[in-house]
Amino acid sequence: MVPQYFGSLTTGNYVVTQQNDSDFSLVAGVDLPAFWETLKLRWWVIPAVIAVAVGFLWAQESDLQSEPGSYYISETYEARDPTAVLASVGIDPVSVRAFPDANNQLLLLQSAAVKAEIAEQVGSDIAVTVSRSRPSFTLVDTLESDGQSSFVFTSAGVPTYSFACNEPAKADCRAAIAAYVAKTTEIRKGALAAGLADLRAVLTRVSEQSDDSSVATKISAIEVLEERLDTPLLKVSEYEEAVGPTISTVRRPTYTFGIAGGLLIALLILLQLTYTDSRIRSIRQLSRIVGKDGVLGHVSKASDPLSERRVAVAIHTTPGLRSGTTVRYLPLRQPLLQEGPLQRVAETAQVQSAIALPFSDMSVSALTQPSSSELDVIVVQRNKDLRKDLVEVLAALNRSDRTLAGVLLVD
């Protein structure tokens, strides 16, 4: 509800009423000049809102579609064969029979008991596939201490273990693979320790029944190896692949929708600012406060003979205007920056003019002193003066005995 002054401004009589809110409907109440002024002052709202809308839609769509359905991770480890050093003391590494053997070790890794153990360890049931390559062997001709030749099978390659996992979260896969690597190392060490223990037990019985000094050397070598038995796995390669659809760019309709939606929201914001703005920006806003009869018109900085003549006619036809009457222009709060338009209006109306101090700076006596040779014209500076200030000035002049010609809007 906006207060409206109407009545005879020339006699100082005003009536305040409340204008119907229906005047502010979207169809009948759109003040295009005021909206245009708001747009010129706050144009940055449009690109800012569009940028926020497009950025939000881009982030929303990319977050939903940039993550694949799952990740496939594969890691390959090289296994060290600690029994190969036994060939230096005449023990064939093949004679060390791991228990369980390599194939059965894989079966143990895939058993339900190991899966349950690792699932409890990592906190979730994750399937990991474990495979092992087959090592190759080479026949080596060696010369014994008695001058005779012997042939020994030595491993020409080292076995490798591959661990593969396919899960939605990469961290879960890596944790499960690390757990299986540690379990593989544990099983291999136990199997080799059992094989070395069997071979040492056999050689011990042989040494008791034979005087061969080399048997004692072999037993000592096995005991040294048992003390420093270690079966680490060294990672030699890693492979990672995203499984499932992903996007590298956002679809063009998303940008179009973001621009259109952002533009609509920005226009609604500017429209809201137009009606909540307390500054006077158009003749229509001025008319809502003082009424159409109280508005003398609008003059701009540039010379506009038609607008200036209309204001001059309104002043010239004011009751009480006589020859020699002076028109006193009365600003609201701020001094007038442009006096030329007001002087042109006074010259067109063929009256004398004087520009007073702003209403907020004038003394009470100067505001209320009766005068038959002066007419007051309230000057509202567009985009600067506030609506409430104009209402206060009208209320104050209502109590004075001076003649008020009307309200003039200037740029």
Side-chain angles (χ1 to χ4, degrees):
M1 307 293 283
V2 179
Q4 180 182 1
Y5 289 81
F6 68 91
S8 175
L9 292 174
T10 59
T11 59
N13 297 323
Y14 310 99
V15 178
V16 181
T17 185
Q18 299 294 329
Q19 187 164 343
N20 197 316
D21 286 342
S22 62
D23 292 342
F24 292 92
S25 65
L26 184 60
V27 177
V30 176
D31 190 348
L32 294 180
F35 179 79
W36 176 247
E37 293 299 329
T38 303
L39 178 61
K40 290 193 296 184
L41 292 174
R42 296 182 173 91
W43 60 267
W44 49 267
V45 171
I46 295 179
V49 174
I50 290 177
V52 171
V54 173
F56 175 78
L57 291 178
W58 176 86
Q60 190 74 9
E61 183 167 336
S62 60
D63 285 345
L64 290 176
Q65 301 186 37
S66 61
E67 289 296 330
S70 62
Y71 290 92
Y72 174 79
I73 298 177
S74 175
E75 296 181 1
T76 301
Y77 289 81
E78 176 185 331
R80 193 176 80 176
D81 185 9
T83 63
V85 297
L86 295 177
S88 62
V89 294
I91 300 177
D92 187 355
V94 179
S95 61
V96 180
R97 303 286 299 184
F99 181 77
D101 64 5
N103 294 328
N104 291 328
Q105 291 175 25
L106 293 179
L107 293 178
L108 285 176
L109 287 172
Q110 300 293 342
S111 65
V114 172
K115 289 182 180 179
E117 177 184 346
I118 293 180
E120 183 180 357
Q121 181 179 345
V122 300
S124 60
D125 187 9
I126 299 175
V128 176
T129 303
V130 184
S131 61
R132 178 180 181 271
S133 66
R134 294 183 177 274
S136 59
F137 296 91
T138 301
L139 187 62
V140 180
D141 183 9
T142 61
L143 185 63
E144 299 293 340
S145 59
D146 57 359
Q148 296 180 354
S149 297
S150 62
F151 296 92
V152 178
F153 284 97
T154 60
S155 177
V158 292
T160 57
Y161 288 83
S162 296
F163 302 85
C165 175
N166 190 347
E167 288 290 328
K170 291 189 289 186
D172 293 342
C173 258
R174 298 190 186 281
I177 289 177
Y180 270 93
V181 169
K183 190 63 178 180
T184 302
T185 302
E186 176 186 340
I187 293 176
R188 289 186 69 247
K189 183 175 182 180
L192 287 175
L196 290 173
D198 290 342
L199 180 58
R200 176 170 50 79
V202 172
L203 292 178
T204 301
R205 293 293 302 271
V206 171
S207 66
E208 294 176 355
Q209 301 175 6
S210 173
D211 296 333
D212 190 354
S213 60
S214 63
V215 176
T217 302
K218 294 177 181 179
I219 294 175
S220 299
I222 293 174
E223 291 175 349
V224 171
L225 182 58
E226 286 178 325
E227 293 175 358
R228 58 185 301 273
L229 183 61
D230 191 13
T231 58
L233 296 180
L234 175 66
K235 183 190 294 187
V236 294
S237 67
E238 180 179 0
Y239 175 75
E240 178 180 320
E241 179 184 359
V243 180
T246 58
I247 61 171
S248 57
T249 59
V250 179
R251 296 177 302 168
R252 181 175 297 179
T254 301
Y255 292 112
T256 304
F257 179 77
I259 293 174
L263 181 60
L264 177 60
I265 295 174
L267 292 177
L268 292 176
I269 292 175
L270 291 174
L271 188 62
Q272 181 66 24
L273 291 175
T274 300
Y275 288 110
T276 58
D277 191 0
S278 60
R279 299 185 185 277
I280 300 174
R281 303 191 184 278
S282 67
I283 285 288
R284 187 171 185 176
Q285 292 177 335
L286 194 62
S287 299
R288 287 172 174 169
I289 300 175
V290 302
K292 293 183 179 180
D293 295 337
V295 178
L296 297 177
H298 170 221
V299 294
S300 58
K301 298 178 182 178
S303 178
D304 187 350
L306 292 179
S307 299
E308 294 169 2
R309 190 165 297 276
R310 174 195 170 185
V311 176
V313 170
I315 295 176
H316 193 76
T317 57
T318 301
L321 180 68
R322 298 185 300 272
S323 177
T325 301
T326 300
V327 175
R328 184 176 71 170
Y329 294 113
L330 183 63
L332 299 184
R333 281 186 180 271
Q334 303 178 15
L336 295 176
L337 299 179
Q338 298 289 337
E339 300 180 0
L342 300 180
Q343 294 176 354
R344 291 197 301 267
V345 169
E347 292 174 359
T348 304
Q350 298 179 352
V351 295
Q352 300 294 323
S353 65
I355 299 177
L357 294 174
F359 178 86
S360 58
D361 297 335
M362 292 183 65
S363 63
V364 175
S365 60
L367 290 171
T368 59
Q369 182 179 5
S371 176
S372 60
S373 61
E374 279 189 340
L375 294 177
D376 287 340
V377 173
I378 299 176
V379 180
V380 175
Q381 301 184 67
R382 189 164 64 94
N383 299 329
K384 292 183 180 179
D385 289 329
L386 303 178
R387 301 176 190 178
K388 64 178 183 178
D389 290 343
L390 177 58
V391 173
E392 293 294 337
V393 172
L394 287 172
L397 293 181
N398 183 34
R399 296 180 176 276
S400 69
D401 294 331
R402 298 182 63 85
T403 302
L404 179 62
V407 181
L408 178 61
L409 182 65
V410 300
D411 288 340

